[in-house]
Structure formats: C-alpha cells, structure tokens
Amino acid sequence: RETSMEVINEDTSRCKLKPGDIVGPYVVEKKIGTGYFCAVYQCRANDKSVAFKIYGTGFKKYFRNEVQLLRKINDSGNDYVVNLYDVHAHIDKRTAVIYPCIITELRGDTVFKLVDYCKEQCGHGLPMPMVRAVARDMLAGLAHLHSIGIIHGDIKPDNLLLNRVVSDDLTAADIHIKIIDFGSSTQTDEIFTTSVGTIGYTAPEIVVEHEFGTAADIWSAFTVIFELIASDLLFDVFFEHNIDYGDVNETVVGAFDDETVYTKCIGCCDDNTETGRAKYASCSCQLCDTCGAHDNCVTSVASDSGDSAAHTYAQNYCYLLLVAKVIGYPPAEFTALARDYYNKKGRLISNPDVEPCGITTLLMNNYDLDADECARIDAFLSLGLKYTPDERITAADALIHDFCAEI
C-alpha cells in the first residue's frame, strides 16, 4: 500500500511539533521559542528536561556552525554559555524530511522577559543590583568567548537565559545568566558570515559593512545594559518604546511610512562636476559651494516596491541617525568608508543638522533618575558605545569597572 506523503519545499521546510510528539528518546512537552533559523521545544526523557532546538532544512550550515562552536566552548570549561548535550537527526514521518537538532541544557526565562516583567509590574527598569548581576554574567561570558576567539554576533536580551523563571521573589543574588544562540556566531580568524546582529543592538561597523571583531559584542552588550536600566531599547528604530529623542522622532518615524521614498547616497559625480549634473539620471543635486562635488547625490528607492534592500537601508539609516543623536557623529575614518549614509563632511545625508544630546540628557529627559546617577551610567556606557572598535572597553576590563564591581 502506498503511503500518502505531504508535499513540501525541502529547501525551506521547518518542523512543527506538538506536545506528546516523540523525537528520538524525548517526548515534547511544549514549545518555548522560535527564531529565524529554528524552533526550540522543551522535551523530556528519563526524568530530565532539555531544550531541543530544531533547525529548518535550509539552515544546515548554521546548525553545523553552532555545534562546532558550542563544542569548542564546552571543551574550554565555561559557566556562562549554555551546555551542549547532544545532536540529533529528527525524521518527520509525514514527510520523510530530516531535520538537524541540537540538545542543550534547559534554562529559565530570557532576560527580555525579565525586563518586560519589571516594566509591566513596576513601570521602570531593573533595580540596579539586578542590572549589575545580569551585566556581570553577560560580560563574563563574553570575556571567555573572546579569549578563545569567538564573536557571538547577536547579543541581546532574548539570547540571555536566566537560571529560573521570572517571579516576584527573584533577587539579584538568584540570578545566573548563560548566553545562547550561536548559529550565526563566528571565529575571529575565520568569519562565518557578515550577516549578524539584530537592528537596535548591532555595532555600527556591521551596519555599514566594515570589518568587525570581538568589539562588536561590546557595543551590543552595552546597549543591553541601557535596556536593563531603562526597560527601553536605546536605539529604538521602530519607536516601540516611546523614548523622546527630541528633534529626530518625527524624522525617524516618517522613514517607515508606506508612502515614503527612501533616499540613498550614491556618492560624488566625479566624472562630470563641471556641469553640476550627475552620471546618474536620477540625480538633481547642486554642486557643493565648498568643494565642487556632489556630497548629497542620491537615488530614490520606493518603500512600497517590496525591495528588501531598500527596507534594510532605511532601517540602517534610521539606526545610524539615532546613534548620532545619542552619542554624536563618527570620526572621519568611519564615515569615509560609509558614503551610502554620510556625506563628505561626516554628516548623515538628508539629516545633516541633527544635534547630539548625550546619554545623560536622554536619561534625565525620559526616566526618573537623578543627575548624578545619570552621569555615572553615562560614564560607563560611553566606554562601550564608541564608533571605533579599538577604543571600546573589553569585556574583561568592563567586569572590573566600578559600575560592575559595585554590589
């Protein structure tokens, strides 16, 4: 008798499980997370629960990468990264498709849930002792990763797991954090992928497609520390947290209107500066009075065309605009290699007059914190939020800074 098989696209197939399903020796208890590459389930066997991460069939290289890195990390003896137990190949009996799986220790809730819970219950960020507890474990994990040549690439509250579920009786002393999700992580001597990070946390060098290293994780970690304190994303590109950035709010929100036309810098028109016309037909800019070049030469990209490149550019531009508003403009050596976003004067195209406010002012304008506390937070965060990667504090040095050392 012939078996009826479900017709699927194996290149992009994702496995869907439900409570009670059998995967190898494990029984599925519940789904606990979903990511771009995979889904994660809580499973149980021999009275032990584990996290069972099932990759989609189109992401096998990320599965192999994560397994390789987790084995290296586990062999190095670290207590701040989730432990790898085993790997498994799950065969879907309905489709005969094989899904690669990673089995790791089961942890508690994410730091994202902790921040969200605290904001919902108390109307503000985490208490400072708890902020420091999370920051210390996160930085300790990064210090170890960096010491063995691994860049995580996507540090954010969703990828930091507590050792327990969030509840009213959770204290700073109860907290122990482990880092998860190494599918797109990379080794420093062999970059696995340049498509890393989550907008809002990503280091500027990654956004503008410069080379990156371990310092990219430091930028992300310090944006997380701000979020722990404020319960809001520091560079809130989608304006989901209602932070008052002053004069850039309407500018950034407008960039995501369906009718908006995004403008993207295409550089100077060096071949035809005498006439003031660009080599691109869409250019109608005027010659710069100072240097005679087309500093603001742009081409238009409609946002409603379904062009993912245009949408990505718009997100990146808005992110860099918020970064400039909060910490100031980047040095010339940074903007010189990012002409899609900055003109020759080092200012953002289309918004060259945005004036930086600084972290202290942002905190005082948005949160119930006194001036001295805001200044202390600013002094620490500024060590990690620098455009030049080599100027950022290392994770090891951040751990012994007064901000983290204080009980």
Side-chain angles (χ1 to χ4, degrees):
R1 181 178 177 181
E2 292 185 358
T3 302
S4 176
M5 302 294 289
E6 182 180 340
V7 179
I8 62 164
N9 181 351
E10 188 169 340
D11 290 338
T12 57
S13 173
R14 295 174 186 268
C15 185
K16 296 180 180 179
L17 301 175
K18 61 183 183 299
D21 284 350
I22 305 298
V23 283
Y26 296 95
V27 178
V28 175
E29 294 184 314
K30 62 180 179 179
K31 189 175 185 178
I32 57 177
T34 303
Y36 182 74
F37 302 134
C38 59
V40 183
Y41 296 85
Q42 178 177 317
C43 298
R44 191 170 185 83
N46 300 323
D47 296 323
K48 181 179 182 179
S49 291
V50 298
F52 204 94
K53 184 175 184 176
I54 305 184
Y55 272 84
T57 54
F59 305 109
K60 292 177 182 177
K61 70 174 184 177
Y62 297 97
F63 159 79
R64 290 191 292 268
N65 182 62
E66 180 159 26
V67 171
Q68 178 186 8
L69 293 179
L70 283 177
R71 283 174 172 165
K72 179 178 180 178
I73 296 163
N74 286 179
D75 289 346
S76 67
N78 173 66
D79 196 36
Y80 297 98
V81 172
V82 69
N83 288 312
L84 173 68
Y85 289 156
D86 202 358
V87 295
H88 178 74
H90 173 62
I91 302 175
D92 189 325
K93 292 181 180 179
R94 296 175 298 109
T95 63
V97 173
I98 301 173
Y99 295 93
C101 309
I102 292 175
I103 303 164
T104 67
E105 64 175 306
L106 183 68
R107 301 283 292 174
D109 287 326
T110 65
V111 168
F112 176 84
K113 184 170 182 179
L114 174 62
V115 173
D116 191 58
Y117 180 86
C118 194
K119 184 173 185 177
E120 182 177 302
Q121 297 296 315
C122 308
H124 53 67
L126 277 55
M128 288 306 295
M130 200 173 286
V131 169
R132 293 187 175 93
V134 174
R136 280 194 293 264
D137 283 359
M138 174 178 62
L139 290 167
L142 288 177
H144 183 75
L145 291 177
H146 297 169
S147 73
I148 59 174
I150 293 176
I151 307 164
H152 184 275
D154 195 18
I155 292 295
K156 57 184 178 180
D158 306 82
N159 287 337
L160 304 171
L161 288 185
L162 297 160
N163 52 318
R164 54 172 288 179
V165 297
V166 173
S167 63
D168 288 339
D169 61 350
L170 182 67
T171 68
D174 298 325
I175 288 178
H176 178 51
I177 300 299
K178 288 198 176 186
I179 301 171
I180 62 168
D181 197 359
F182 288 80
S184 59
S185 300
T186 189
Q187 302 193 63
T188 53
D189 59 354
E190 186 178 355
I191 299 299
F192 171 68
T193 178
T194 57
S195 298
V196 296
T198 300
I199 196 68
Y201 303 95
T202 310
E205 63 269 23
I206 294 176
V207 173
V208 299
E209 300 180 359
H210 288 186
E211 293 182 357
F212 66 93
T214 56
D217 285 339
I218 300 301
W219 176 283
S220 301
F222 276 61
T223 64
V224 169
I225 293 170
F226 178 94
E227 190 168 351
L228 299 176
I229 296 167
S231 74
D232 292 327
L233 184 60
L234 176 55
F235 306 115
D236 184 17
V237 171
F238 301 104
F239 276 76
E240 297 173 333
H241 299 276
N242 299 314
I243 299 179
D244 181 7
Y245 293 100
D247 59 350
V248 303
N249 285 17
E250 293 182 4
T251 304
V252 177
V253 172
F256 287 94
D257 189 281
D258 288 341
E259 302 302 319
T260 298
V261 174
Y262 302 132
T263 56
K264 181 177 180 180
C265 175
I266 54 177
C268 293
C269 312
D270 297 326
D271 62 339
N272 200 9
T273 55
E274 289 183 4
T275 64
R277 300 298 298 169
K279 55 188 174 183
Y280 295 89
S282 60
C283 176
S284 60
C285 67
Q286 300 298 314
L287 286 171
C288 173
D289 292 336
T290 303
C291 66
H294 291 260
D295 278 333
N296 290 310
C297 182
V298 297
T299 183
S300 297
V301 185
S303 66
D304 58 358
S305 64
D307 187 339
S308 61
H311 187 65
T312 298
Y313 174 83
Q315 289 185 14
N316 291 346
Y317 178 88
C318 292
Y319 180 66
L320 294 171
L321 178 60
L322 288 177
V323 172
K325 180 63 184 179
V326 174
I327 70 168
Y329 280 92
E333 56 267 25
F334 182 93
T335 61
L337 297 176
R339 287 287 177 246
D340 278 357
Y341 300 97
Y342 301 94
N343 61 30
K344 282 194 170 181
K345 295 179 181 178
R347 293 298 182 113
L348 284 158
I349 59 171
S350 302
N351 290 278
D353 299 322
V354 169
E355 291 299 327
C357 67
I359 294 173
T360 295
T361 299
L362 186 72
L363 287 168
M364 292 184 65
N365 288 349
N366 287 274
Y367 307 101
D368 186 21
L369 296 168
D370 65 55
D372 289 343
E373 183 71 1
C374 291
R376 285 193 294 271
I377 294 168
D378 188 349
F380 179 63
L381 294 184
S382 295
L383 297 174
L385 298 175
K386 294 182 180 293
Y387 284 100
T388 304
D390 290 345
E391 294 179 358
R392 291 175 204 151
I393 193 171
T394 65
D397 287 343
L399 270 172
I400 59 175
H401 188 277
D402 288 346
F403 180 89
C404 287
E406 186 178 340
I407 302 300

